[in-house]
Amino acid sequence: MKRFQFHLDSVLNYRRQVLDGCQGEYARALDQVRRQETRKADAENRYGRLNREFRDAAAAGITAADALTYEGGLRLLEQEIAREGRLLEEYRRDAEEKREQMLRAHIDKAALERLREKKWQDYNRSAQKSDEHLMDELVSARRSAAG
């Protein structure tokens, strides 16, 4: 009997490559999200430090010009936090899209692998039946020759 050959092996290999690519893209997107979370947290920490410094200075007594300087710095940091937050949400949406693409690629690959496994089982059953049929013929031939 001829050897097993799955006619969609090239498609299966392509689907595996697509899945590998999607996994890489998703990993890069997650890394981008983590970096952005760090940038946003850093901006929030700077805001917190400046705000504490402002409160401490205000409690000790500062000039109106110094208070305006602190408030201007706080407003700039608030804008930076908002900007970093918007970027973070954008990166999260992108990462979610990449995850969905990766899941679709996994489903496509898994479907082809299940089909390949089914064909492999069919091939094995057919080979076993062929072997059994050959054995039956040999037994019949011996009985005919002996009888």
Side-chain angles (χ1 to χ4, degrees):
M1 186 166 189
K2 65 182 188 175
R3 71 178 187 85
F4 174 72
Q5 184 177 9
F6 183 59
H7 296 291
L8 296 175
D9 266 336
S10 60
V11 175
L12 179 57
N13 288 334
Y14 172 74
R15 293 294 183 191
R16 287 176 178 152
Q17 290 172 359
V18 168
L19 177 59
D20 289 345
C22 287
Q23 288 171 333
E25 289 177 12
Y26 180 54
R28 284 187 293 279
L30 284 180
D31 187 50
Q32 188 177 34
V33 166
R34 286 188 205 99
R35 285 192 316 267
Q36 187 61 32
E37 286 171 341
T38 302
R39 282 192 291 268
K40 184 179 179 209
D42 180 53
E44 290 169 341
N45 288 337
R46 285 184 285 133
Y47 179 85
R49 284 192 307 269
L50 184 61
N51 195 24
R52 277 191 299 282
E53 183 182 323
F54 175 47
R55 281 184 285 143
D56 292 345
I62 59 173
T63 65
D66 287 341
L68 288 174
T69 301
Y70 275 113
E71 287 177 357
L74 289 171
R75 297 309 151 250
L76 285 173
L77 284 172
E78 287 171 355
Q79 292 171 358
E80 181 180 346
I81 291 168
R83 183 177 58 252
E84 298 294 353
R86 285 190 301 271
L87 280 172
L88 179 59
E89 288 308 310
E90 179 184 325
Y91 293 159
R92 283 182 176 157
R93 280 191 304 273
D94 184 49
E96 182 60 26
E97 287 175 18
K98 299 294 183 194
R99 187 182 79 79
E100 289 172 5
Q101 289 173 357
M102 182 184 68
L103 290 175
R104 283 192 301 271
H106 176 72
I107 289 169
D108 291 345
K109 180 192 73 93
L112 282 171
E113 285 177 338
R114 283 191 304 273
L115 179 61
R116 186 181 198 286
E117 182 63 26
K118 184 177 182 294
K119 296 290 185 183
W120 172 248
Q121 290 171 356
D122 291 347
Y123 170 81
N124 284 335
R125 277 193 293 274
S126 177
Q128 185 178 2
K129 285 181 184 178
S130 177
D131 289 347
E132 289 172 1
H133 182 66
L134 180 61
M135 297 285 245
D136 288 344
E137 286 180 9
L138 288 173
V139 169
S140 294
R142 282 190 181 169
R143 285 188 185 158
S144 296

